[in-house]
Amino acid sequence: MPASVQALLHYPSLKIILVGDNDLIVNQLKQLGQPDHPRLSIVHADTNIGNDERPSQALRNSKGSSMRVALELVADNKADACVSAGNTGALMALSKYLLKLLPGVDRPALVSALPNMYGDAVWLLDLGANVSVDADTLFQFAVMGAVIAEEQMERQPKVALLNIGEEEIKGNDLVKRCSEMLQQSQSVNYVGYVEGDQLFTGNADVIVCDGFVGNVSLKTSEGVARLFLGKLKDALFSHPIKKLIAKWLFGEQLMALKHLNPDQYNGASLLGLRGIVVKSHGGADVAAFKHAIAEAVHEIERQLPKKISDRLEAVLLERHI
Amino acid sequence: MPASVQALLHYPSLKIILVGDNDLIVNQLKQLGQPDHPRLSIVHADTNIGNDERPSQALRNSKGSSMRVALELVADNKADACVSAGNTGALMALSKYLLKLLPGVDRPALVSALPNMYGDAVWLLDLGANVSVDADTLFQFAVMGAVIAEEQMERQPKVALLNIGEEEIKGNDLVKRCSEMLQQSQSVNYVGYVEGDQLFTGNADVIVCDGFVGNVSLKTSEGVARLFLGKLKDALFSHPIKKLIAKWLFGEQLMALKHLNPDQYNGASLLGLRGIVVKSHGGADVAAFKHAIAEAVHEIERQLPKKISDRLEAVLLERHI
């Protein structure tokens, strides 16, 4: 809620529809001193989808839930994008069901921009929307990842497949077949394979893998980052005087280390749908949730679903020449 | 070579056979001041397997290579274990071909002990021996991982499957089926799923996944660790005086951070074979290579292949009751 109010200040033409329990929202807006913002409206929803509901269960029982009502607003062109911090599995299933896939897309993919060692972004997908995919789907992920990165970087991004060896000889069949497809394509600046230790080295701007591998890799990164930051804090702040010196001498640089935590970046986008859906962390703070809203605004401005659809059409044409 | 000499000093009954070019080894031993160690012998090998050879190619052209000769010594009971820093794919293929699999094992697995946040070990497998497996194979990995961990920890280790969600509802079919098998087994202390961010939190002592996921996860950990250590060095050592203060005040604690790098731990074991094979990093230094030799000694003392075979037999019996 406070993130929405801040986002309205930041984007003078942005309109936000808050979907959920009307009374609850009205109360919270009053507390924020924003009972009647002209660009903020409320659409009431009776229920919520729980975080532990299975996607199939959520799909069946979703009528009237805030997530479904919000997605219906997008499906009915009453909203340009949906931002949700709810149940990821349910959001993916409902988005696919209500918004439908773009032509040429077999599966949606969850993508997020993470910070690399140079402070640039690296897009990793799929982060868990699909645990098992075929080479065609992986290829589509590469194309969609290239489009979202290009819209942000404004140059042609380097696209790589995540594999377990740099040489052509390694990896599983799926990855090998997708690699051949990418090599033959003119639409993607394919740079080959990267391994897990090259996620953040700038070798690639877009890194593509199936949802199981991507989710494990992202979570592993977050886990190691948290482990290091925790141990570092213990080491530097082990004594009040040491803490003081550490903050005085190294405060700024150490703050910069925090930004290496992939967890800091909020707003994973669901790609491949006829509409814009951004997933925020469940535990996102105001700044993080504002970041997710900013991502949605950016994708609206860039007309991302149309760009993806156009690129996939070009790829199809390329194959038929 | 220096690692072998040090290991001989450390283990008074250890005998080491160095396999490779005889003249080269003799020269290096002279340089180390150990021309005639009574527990060090040399077996000549004409060739080496290159690091870029494919496993199938290496298998065909392996006759007379140092790796093959060393493994033949194990197969012929002339050595109790083989330690190699060579081509991983070739080592796995040749080991399987020359040493054969234990009864009840469909595929060998590569396992390594990594340091968790409490300084305890966590065993992760498979690290890349098999990119695609079935539920039975994954189950065997869990049993083998439990045995190697138990021999080190001397208590029943907690075994988990690496998945993309903590709840039973997530993950792919393979992982779900293996989870059901583990739940029904009395031979493994199965604690359920862990996610990538719980690799090092002590939730589990043994973490099981397929070789693609395990390799990506391990390499991702190494990459993030290197990234953090690099940035930390930049931050603390940005100025000579700052460097001095940092080393003086925080030197010891910061050295401890280095040990969080999974890369520090050397010696991955190939499990499931009728013999002991330990893979060292290609770029291992003396201490790291000595660590790999120590792992081999430990596995010989504990008769690891026999223990694995016994446990797998118990599991088979359990299923037929």
Side-chain angles (χ1 to χ4, degrees):
Chain A
M1 204 87 63
S4 301
V5 173
Q6 285 187 18
L8 288 171
L9 277 173
H10 193 265
Y11 299 101
S13 62
L14 176 67
K15 290 178 193 163
I16 291 180
I17 309 168
L18 296 166
V19 182
D21 184 89
N22 188 75
D23 295 349
L24 213 72
I25 296 173
V26 166
N27 264 333
Q28 289 195 346
L29 287 176
K30 271 186 198 154
Q31 279 171 21
L32 287 167
Q34 292 286 350
D36 285 308
H37 195 291
R39 289 183 282 123
L40 199 61
S41 56
I42 303 171
V43 169
H44 176 73
D46 282 321
T47 58
N48 281 311
I49 293 174
N51 267 326
D52 48 358
E53 279 186 60
R54 296 166 190 242
S56 55
Q57 188 186 353
L59 208 58
R60 273 197 307 278
N61 307 328
S62 61
K63 279 245 164 89
S65 68
S66 53
M67 187 186 282
R68 177 157 183 162
V69 170
L71 287 168
E72 282 168 346
L73 289 172
V74 177
D76 298 343
N77 292 315
K78 290 175 183 160
D80 291 315
C82 165
V83 179
S84 168
N87 179 328
T88 312
L91 185 66
M92 292 189 296
L94 271 173
S95 299
K96 201 172 143 186
Y97 174 67
L98 293 169
L99 300 180
K100 310 294 178 206
L101 293 169
L102 287 168
V105 176
D106 293 324
R107 308 273 191 107
L110 199 61
V111 65
S112 195
L114 311 169
N116 75 11
M117 62 189 293
Y118 304 107
D120 296 327
V122 51
W123 280 263
L124 184 63
L125 76 163
D126 172 31
L127 296 175
N130 302 283
V131 290
S132 50
V133 296
D134 59 20
D136 278 315
T137 314
L138 216 51
F139 179 82
Q140 292 159 15
F141 290 176
V143 175
M144 297 196 292
V147 173
I148 193 171
E150 195 170 324
E151 289 303 316
Q152 191 82 47
M153 302 171 73
E154 306 200 329
R155 66 168 173 82
Q156 220 195 1
K158 292 178 284 183
V159 177
L161 285 172
L162 187 55
N163 201 350
I164 63 169
E166 272 174 53
E167 307 92 27
E168 287 294 310
I169 56 176
K170 294 186 183 171
N172 63 19
D173 287 344
L174 172 72
V175 175
K176 277 184 206 164
R177 262 178 291 137
C178 183
S179 182
E180 283 161 20
M181 290 168 72
L182 286 167
Q183 272 164 4
Q184 283 157 20
S185 173
Q186 306 294 318
S187 311
V188 173
N189 177 22
Y190 176 60
V191 296
Y193 297 139
V194 293
E195 291 192 64
D197 54 354
Q198 296 165 323
L199 285 178
F200 306 115
T201 53
N203 296 40
D205 306 305
V206 178
I207 297 176
V208 181
C209 57
D210 73 50
F212 196 98
V213 171
N215 190 287
V216 166
S217 185
L218 175 69
K219 291 265 172 84
T220 299
S221 303
E222 290 174 356
V224 176
R226 269 203 297 274
L227 176 61
F228 262 86
L229 290 169
K231 291 277 175 186
L232 183 62
K233 220 172 143 184
D234 291 349
L236 297 180
F237 299 174
S238 60
H239 185 279
I241 294 188
K242 284 191 178 184
K243 183 172 169 175
L244 217 68
I245 298 176
K247 283 202 166 173
W248 172 53
L249 277 179
F250 310 115
E252 212 170 301
Q253 288 108 319
L254 294 176
M255 278 306 288
L257 273 182
K258 272 198 174 174
H259 294 295
L260 291 177
N261 187 348
D263 206 11
Q264 290 286 310
Y265 277 54
N266 193 31
S269 306
L270 259 177
L271 299 182
L273 300 166
R274 296 172 189 263
I276 294 164
V277 180
V278 176
K279 168 72 178 73
S280 160
H281 277 302
D285 60 11
V286 175
F289 201 82
K290 211 179 123 189
H291 196 277
I293 297 173
E295 177 61 34
V297 171
H298 172 78
E299 293 183 16
I300 296 167
E301 284 170 353
R302 295 298 181 129
Q303 295 189 280
L304 198 66
K306 190 180 178 316
K307 294 251 166 73
I308 288 175
S309 174
D310 290 350
R311 184 70 64 93
L312 283 166
E313 205 176 309
V315 169
L316 277 177
L317 277 175
E318 178 187 279
R319 284 205 216 162
H320 287 106
I321 287 167
Chain B
M1 205 85 66
S4 302
V5 174
Q6 285 189 17
L8 288 170
L9 277 172
H10 194 263
Y11 300 100
S13 62
L14 176 68
K15 290 178 193 162
I16 292 181
I17 309 168
L18 296 167
V19 182
D21 184 89
N22 188 75
D23 295 349
L24 213 73
I25 297 174
V26 167
N27 265 334
Q28 289 196 346
L29 287 176
K30 272 187 199 154
Q31 279 172 21
L32 287 167
Q34 293 284 349
D36 284 310
H37 195 291
R39 289 183 279 123
L40 200 61
S41 56
I42 303 172
V43 169
H44 177 72
D46 282 320
T47 59
N48 281 311
I49 293 174
N51 267 325
D52 47 359
E53 278 186 61
R54 295 165 192 244
S56 55
Q57 189 187 351
L59 208 57
R60 275 197 306 276
N61 308 329
S62 61
K63 278 244 164 89
S65 68
S66 52
M67 187 185 283
R68 178 157 182 164
V69 171
L71 287 167
E72 281 167 346
L73 289 172
V74 178
D76 299 343
N77 291 316
K78 290 175 184 161
D80 292 316
C82 167
V83 180
S84 168
N87 179 325
T88 311
L91 185 65
M92 292 189 296
L94 271 172
S95 299
K96 200 172 145 186
Y97 174 66
L98 294 169
L99 301 180
K100 310 294 179 204
L101 293 169
L102 287 169
V105 176
D106 294 325
R107 310 272 192 105
L110 199 62
V111 65
S112 196
L114 311 170
N116 76 12
M117 62 188 295
Y118 304 107
D120 296 327
V122 53
W123 280 263
L124 184 63
L125 77 164
D126 172 32
L127 297 177
N130 303 283
V131 291
S132 50
V133 295
D134 59 19
D136 277 314
T137 313
L138 216 53
F139 178 81
Q140 293 158 16
F141 290 175
V143 174
M144 297 197 292
V147 173
I148 194 171
E150 195 169 323
E151 289 304 315
Q152 191 81 48
M153 302 173 72
E154 306 201 327
R155 65 167 174 82
Q156 219 194 2
K158 291 179 283 182
V159 178
L161 286 172
L162 187 54
N163 201 349
I164 63 167
E166 273 174 51
E167 306 93 28
E168 286 295 310
I169 55 175
K170 294 185 183 171
N172 63 19
D173 287 343
L174 173 71
V175 175
K176 276 184 208 164
R177 262 179 291 136
C178 183
S179 181
E180 282 162 21
M181 290 168 73
L182 285 167
Q183 273 164 3
Q184 283 157 21
S185 172
Q186 304 294 316
S187 310
V188 173
N189 177 21
Y190 177 60
V191 296
Y193 298 137
V194 294
E195 291 191 64
D197 55 352
Q198 295 164 323
L199 286 178
F200 306 114
T201 53
N203 296 40
D205 306 306
V206 178
I207 297 175
V208 181
C209 57
D210 74 50
F212 196 98
V213 171
N215 191 287
V216 165
S217 185
L218 176 68
K219 291 266 173 83
T220 299
S221 303
E222 290 174 356
V224 175
R226 270 203 295 276
L227 175 61
F228 263 86
L229 289 169
K231 291 277 173 186
L232 183 61
K233 221 171 140 184
D234 292 348
L236 297 180
F237 300 173
S238 60
H239 185 278
I241 296 187
K242 283 191 177 183
K243 183 173 170 175
L244 217 68
I245 298 176
K247 283 201 167 175
W248 172 55
L249 277 179
F250 310 115
E252 210 171 303
Q253 289 108 321
L254 294 176
M255 277 306 288
L257 274 182
K258 271 196 173 175
H259 294 293
L260 291 177
N261 188 347
D263 207 11
Q264 290 286 309
Y265 277 54
N266 193 30
S269 307
L270 259 176
L271 299 181
L273 300 166
R274 295 172 189 265
I276 294 165
V277 180
V278 176
K279 168 73 179 71
S280 159
H281 278 301
D285 60 12
V286 175
F289 200 81
K290 212 180 121 189
H291 196 276
I293 296 174
E295 177 60 34
V297 172
H298 172 79
E299 293 183 16
I300 296 167
E301 286 172 351
R302 296 297 182 131
Q303 294 189 280
L304 198 67
K306 190 182 177 314
K307 294 251 167 72
I308 288 174
S309 174
D310 290 350
R311 184 71 63 93
L312 283 167
E313 206 177 308
V315 170
L316 275 177
L317 277 174
E318 177 187 280
R319 282 207 216 160
H320 287 105
I321 287 166

